[in-house]
């Protein structure tokens, strides 16, 4: 093969692009670490052909041109790339002697998520400043620098900034400042009122926002924060709120609406809201939450300040943001013109393979990643809660260190797993979309998405669980050929097509054995959920007879000879009652 055409190497245990993808306009990870033009000839290479496994850190670093620049400036060093096969003409030689600085201190790998401005250069109170300092924050992130003065002026703000760049502090800090500056007469008058209301789409995120708020409130002794989320006893929350009403409330929409309707005095407390935050605003304003959110907004004063934050702000959200904000709101977008919405230091790959190979490929990729990176920390996103459960069970049977999180788990189990995953390394979290947005698990090395994501935005948020705070990461999207149309919706992102590994027969045998050991009940539930998910996908669900065939393919991938029967009522609810080909009970 011509040297310049070889695009393959392993990357955190993954084989990296060997051919020009129809889906990606740009290809990353050439031998030189530079982007290759999309016209490059295809050069398919088998995984067994890979000369050496790179330690994931070095491989990733070499691929990032920005990082290379910093290296040449002597700012940061990373280990030398170890194979001569992949070393390109302009690959670093002899960089190992450059001074090694603490990546955290200079803002992650390339520091680009931090601004030049320090918190102590800003107009914030001494009390907040002490909290910020104790939290370990010195310089502001770019989104914090851009939004703080505008929020402090009292403006409504719609802010867009990439995942993991500190949006939580960006809305919490100025909102806390607003509260702490309320005239004391107003404060005593509004003693039991809620002055800052933060809405989050998931329970884990709400808890996390409250933890961040507590850090910032450390020295604000007169301000407190409470969380109300579903899955916990509402009476307990009512008692807590009664015993110790806090000015700051972090909530998920369903539970907040519950309190609005059933907790005496709660709607009066909401009349005190000065600042309303919609974290993951585009999600909260989409159809799933919209009604609850509108009801909640209607219960708060019209003259409140409203802050909408997200890493994705699709045009429709801009269109409807006037529902939530005053006309003169400011749109602050820290994603630069022409820049992608995902991080350049996250290598994004997709693999397209028949469904019946997905479990084997998943296992193969995981084994390699685990062997490649002792500090591995992986999140696997699945389409639905029941498919998540199934994937977790299969991978657990294969003796991988698996944790499972989705909406069908009790809240206490979810909290336990979430806390444990945050602290741990050497673990794989199989998750539904409950972990897709906002959750800040440090040092995730690899994010795998199995099956078509709910949309472009969900893809971006899921992959945003790695590469946080300027760190590096890997992303893999595993699709069946009939799902590959999804790639057009992310064609502006640098998603490279990875070579599908030729999985050896012993891996396949192990996977078959694992599938056999998983209970039939799990497979039935997964099949039903899988059908529901793809049935509601616009492109795939449109053709019902094809859905029957695809369902058969999925059931075969679980090792079943025939698809499980589905209760008539459920088939009818899915609008599949009259479709020939489904077995019903
Ligand atoms: N100024 C700062 N300096 C260093 N670290 C910071 C700073 N501000 C926030 N962080 C940390 O950065 C991490 C990411 O922050 P956060 O979770 O708020 O990101 P985000 O932009 O909201 O991400 P997502 O889009 O996924 O919700 C957190 O661990 C947070 O504590």
């Amino acid at each position: 093969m011509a040297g310049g055409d070889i695009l393959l190497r392993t990357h955190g245990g993954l084989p990296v692009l060997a051919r020009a993808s129809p889906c990606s306009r740009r290809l990353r990870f050439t031998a030189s670490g530079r982007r290759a033009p999309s016209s490059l000839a295809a050069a398919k290479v088998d995984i067994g052909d890979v000369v050496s496994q790179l330690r994931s850190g070095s491989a990733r670093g070499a691929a990032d041109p920005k990082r290379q620049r910093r290296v040449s400036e002597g700012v940061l060093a990373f280990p030398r790339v170890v194979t001569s096969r992949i070393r390109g003409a302009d690959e670093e030689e002899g960089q190992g002697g450059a001074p090694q600085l603490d990546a955290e201190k200079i803002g992650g790998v390339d520091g680009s998520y931090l601004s030049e401005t320090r918190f102590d250069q800003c107009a914030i109170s001494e009390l907040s400043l002490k909290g910020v300092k104790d939290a370990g924050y010195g310089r502001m992130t770019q989104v914090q620098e851009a939004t703080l003065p505008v929020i402090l002026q009292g403006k409504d703000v719609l802010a867009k900034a990439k995942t993991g760049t500190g949006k939580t502090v960006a809305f919490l800090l100025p909102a806390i400042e607003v509260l702490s500056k309320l005239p004391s007469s107003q404060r005593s008058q509004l003693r039991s009122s809620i002055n800052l209301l933060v809405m989050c789409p998931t329970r884990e995120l709400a808890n996390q926002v409250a933890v961040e708020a507590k850090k910032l409130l450390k020295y604000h002794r007169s301000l407190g924060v409470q969380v109300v989320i579903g899955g916990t006893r509402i009476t307990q929350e009512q008692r807590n709120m009664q015993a110790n009403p806090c000015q700051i409330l972090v909530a998920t929409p369903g539970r907040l609406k519950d309190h609005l309707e059933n907790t005496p005095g709660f709607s009066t407390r909401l009349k005190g809201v000065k600042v309303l935050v919609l974290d993951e605003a585009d999600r909260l304003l989409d159809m799933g939450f919209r009604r609850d959110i509108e009801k909640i907004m209607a219960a708060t004063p019209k003259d409140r300040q409203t802050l909408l934050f997200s890493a994705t702000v699709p045009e429709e959200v801009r269109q409807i943001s006037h529902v939530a904000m005053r006309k003169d709101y400011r749109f602050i977008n820290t994603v630069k013109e022409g820049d992608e919405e995902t991080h350049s230091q996250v290598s994004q790959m997709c693999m397209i393979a028949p469904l019946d190979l997905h479990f084997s490929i998943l296992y193969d990729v995981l084994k390699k990643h685990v062997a490649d990176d002792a500090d591995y920390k992986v999140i696997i996103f699945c389409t639905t809660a029941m498919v998540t459960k199934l994937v977790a069970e299969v991978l657990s049977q294969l003796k991988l260190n698996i944790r499972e999180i989705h909406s069908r788990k009790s809240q206490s189990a979810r909290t336990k797993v979430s806390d444990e995953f945050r602290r741990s390394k050497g673990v794989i979290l199989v998750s539904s979309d409950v972990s897709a947005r906002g959750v800040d698990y440090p040092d995730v090395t690899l994010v795998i998405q199995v099956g078509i994501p709910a949309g472009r935005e969900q893809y971006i948020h899921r992959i945003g669980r790695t590469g946080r705070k300027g760190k590096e990461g890997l992303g893999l999207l595993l699709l069946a050929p009939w799902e590959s149309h999804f790639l057009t919706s992310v064609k502006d992102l640098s998603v490279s097509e990875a070579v599908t590994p030729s999985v050896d027969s012993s891996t396949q045998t192990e996977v078959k054995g694992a599938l056999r050991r998983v209970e039939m009940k799990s497979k039935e539930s997964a099949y039903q959920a899988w059908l529901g998910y793809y049935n509601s996908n616009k492109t795939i669900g449109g053709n019902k007879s094809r859905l029957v065939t695809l369902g058969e393919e999925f059931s075969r991938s679980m090792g079943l000879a025939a698809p499980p029967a589905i209760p008539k009522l459920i088939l009818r609810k899915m609008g599949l009652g009259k479709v020939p080909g489904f077995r019903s009970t």
Side-chain angles (χ1 to χ4, degrees):
M1 265 177 273
D5 287 352
I6 298 173
L7 299 177
L8 183 77
R9 62 208 233 170
T10 58
H11 194 49
L14 296 174
V16 177
L17 186 65
R19 59 196 147 120
S21 154
C23 55
S24 70
R25 285 195 288 114
R26 275 167 260 162
L27 305 179
R28 300 262 161 136
F29 312 117
T30 62
S32 64
R34 281 185 176 164
R35 287 178 190 181
S38 54
S39 60
L40 262 183
K44 195 165 184 173
V45 185
D46 188 83
I47 192 165
D49 204 23
V50 176
V51 189
S52 57
Q53 296 278 329
L54 299 180
R55 278 279 307 129
S56 49
S58 57
R60 290 182 214 132
D64 182 352
K66 253 194 217 154
R67 181 169 175 165
Q68 286 181 341
R69 235 182 355 260
R70 294 191 74 87
V71 169
S72 63
E73 286 161 5
V75 179
L76 176 73
F78 56 85
R80 195 191 300 200
V81 175
V82 291
T83 131
S84 59
R85 170 91 173 264
I86 63 145
R87 189 185 295 134
D90 61 350
E91 204 119 45
E92 296 75 38
E93 282 283 357
Q95 297 289 348
Q100 183 95 37
L101 299 182
D102 181 350
E104 282 292 313
K105 283 189 193 131
I106 63 155
V109 171
D110 64 3
S112 62
Y113 81 107
L114 289 176
S115 72
E116 292 301 322
T117 314
R118 294 191 316 272
F119 284 99
D120 59 13
Q121 295 171 311
C122 299
I124 54 169
S125 63
E126 270 306 307
L127 297 183
S128 289
L129 205 54
K130 277 165 76 178
V132 161
K133 234 186 182 165
D134 285 6
Y137 311 146
R139 281 196 278 153
M140 302 174 98
T141 67
Q142 292 185 3
V143 63
Q144 291 161 3
E145 184 194 44
T147 52
L148 186 97
V150 186
I151 299 173
L152 289 179
Q153 277 168 26
K155 291 267 184 229
D156 284 359
V157 167
L158 167 62
K160 173 176 169 178
K162 289 188 189 182
T163 50
T165 57
K167 291 188 284 298
T168 316
V169 171
F171 60 71
L172 279 179
L173 181 62
I176 288 169
E177 286 298 286
V178 170
L179 261 54
S180 68
K181 290 193 177 82
L182 283 177
S184 52
S185 58
Q186 258 197 62
R187 265 208 254 169
S188 57
Q189 196 187 345
L190 301 169
R191 232 170 29 157
S192 70
S193 61
I194 293 158
N195 303 140
L196 166 59
L197 175 62
V198 182
M199 302 300 307
C200 300
T202 65
R203 300 164 187 177
E204 283 73 20
L205 184 53
N207 278 330
Q208 186 183 294
V209 168
V211 168
E212 193 78 65
K214 278 180 193 153
K215 286 192 214 162
L216 299 178
L217 289 172
K218 186 169 171 190
Y219 298 95
H220 286 278
R221 303 233 184 267
S222 61
L223 294 174
V225 59
Q226 242 152 19
V227 186
V228 295
I229 52 175
T232 55
R233 291 226 310 274
I234 192 163
T235 46
Q236 183 66 44
E237 283 180 353
Q238 286 167 332
R239 271 200 297 274
N240 288 348
M241 283 197 281
Q242 211 165 25
N244 176 29
C246 288
Q247 304 88 336
I248 301 173
L249 193 72
V250 187
T252 50
R255 178 53 66 93
L256 194 95
K257 199 181 93 188
D258 238 9
H259 280 295
L260 199 53
E261 288 166 355
N262 302 310
T263 302
F266 191 77
S267 61
T268 312
R269 292 189 66 207
L270 280 187
K271 298 260 182 296
V273 168
K274 298 284 171 200
V275 184
L276 169 70
V277 179
L278 303 189
D279 191 10
E280 309 295 342
D282 54 329
R283 175 74 184 108
L284 290 176
L285 291 172
D286 81 15
M287 280 323 192
F289 287 111
R290 183 84 169 273
R291 277 221 182 126
D292 289 353
I293 291 292
E294 278 173 0
K295 190 157 187 195
I296 290 159
M297 283 193 305
T300 64
K302 277 207 169 66
D303 65 351
R304 63 173 195 260
Q305 186 176 10
T306 308
L307 310 175
L308 269 53
F309 276 69
S310 184
T312 50
V313 181
E315 192 46 39
E316 314 87 79
V317 171
R318 280 208 69 182
Q319 300 287 335
I320 56 159
S321 49
H322 64 87
V323 183
M325 295 189 294
R326 293 175 289 206
K327 276 203 181 73
D328 65 343
Y329 79 89
R330 293 273 300 275
F331 177 40
I332 298 176
N333 182 1
T334 64
V335 183
K336 292 182 196 81
E337 184 89 35
D339 195 4
E340 289 174 21
E341 285 168 288
T342 45
H343 290 289
S344 60
Q345 78 275 8
V346 175
S347 317
Q348 300 172 61
M349 284 164 265
C350 72
M351 269 183 202
I352 297 172
L355 217 48
D356 61 2
L357 281 180
H358 280 201
F359 279 116
S360 297
I361 290 175
L362 197 54
Y363 181 39
D364 189 75
V365 164
L366 289 169
K367 272 195 298 185
K368 289 188 172 104
H369 185 71
V370 166
D372 191 62
D373 193 341
D375 288 335
Y376 73 92
K377 184 163 173 173
V378 181
I379 306 182
I380 302 173
F381 284 107
C382 304
T383 47
T384 74
M386 287 297 101
V387 174
T388 302
K389 179 171 183 281
L390 175 86
V391 172
E393 285 174 10
V394 175
L395 296 177
S396 298
Q397 289 290 345
L398 290 161
K399 303 280 177 282
L400 290 163
N401 190 20
I402 299 292
R403 301 291 180 281
E404 171 191 343
I405 191 165
H406 50 75
S407 60
R408 301 289 191 90
K409 286 263 174 202
S410 70
Q411 190 49 43
S412 59
R414 275 169 69 166
T415 306
K416 189 167 165 257
V417 164
S418 172
D419 290 347
E420 189 191 352
F421 188 70
R422 197 181 302 277
R423 288 191 309 267
S424 314
K425 285 186 172 165
V427 61
I428 297 164
L429 180 69
V430 188
S431 178
S432 67
D433 275 339
V434 296
S435 316
R437 284 176 174 255
V439 280
D440 184 48
Y441 295 127
D443 304 317
V444 171
T445 52
L446 169 63
V447 167
I448 304 181
Q449 308 188 41
V450 185
I452 205 164
R456 169 193 165 81
E457 281 72 35
Q458 211 65 347
Y459 172 86
I460 292 171
H461 286 278
R462 283 162 154 198
I463 204 144
R465 298 317 99 207
T466 185
R468 299 178 76 73
K469 297 177 75 173
K471 289 181 183 161
E472 294 169 339
L474 290 166
L476 173 68
L477 174 63
L478 181 55
L479 298 177
W482 46 268
E483 291 175 304
S484 61
H485 62 271
F486 174 77
L487 296 169
T488 55
S489 62
V490 290
K491 65 177 187 293
D492 59 320
L493 307 176
S494 296
V495 184
S496 315
E497 190 174 342
V499 180
T500 306
S502 50
V503 185
D504 59 45
S505 58
S506 72
T507 299
Q508 292 197 37
T509 311
E510 273 186 86
V511 168
K512 273 187 193 148
L515 280 164
R516 263 198 304 276
R517 292 191 294 277
V518 167
E519 278 184 29
M520 187 60 191
K521 182 89 199 65
S522 300
K523 293 176 186 172
E524 283 169 357
S525 307
Y527 172 71
Q528 210 167 288
W530 187 97
L531 265 189
Y533 181 78
Y534 284 95
N535 184 39
S536 58
N537 179 284
K538 261 199 215 130
T539 314
I540 298 160
N543 183 342
K544 304 298 179 203
S545 60
R546 187 149 171 264
L547 190 64
V548 174
T549 316
L550 298 178
E552 286 164 5
E553 205 176 311
F554 178 67
S555 105
R556 272 198 305 279
S557 80
M558 294 187 289
L560 298 179
I566 300 179
K568 264 199 193 89
L569 183 67
I570 291 183
L571 270 181
R572 234 181 291 138
K573 272 191 182 158
M574 289 198 255
L576 301 174
K578 296 205 171 107
V579 179
F582 290 118
R583 285 199 308 125
S584 60
T585 53

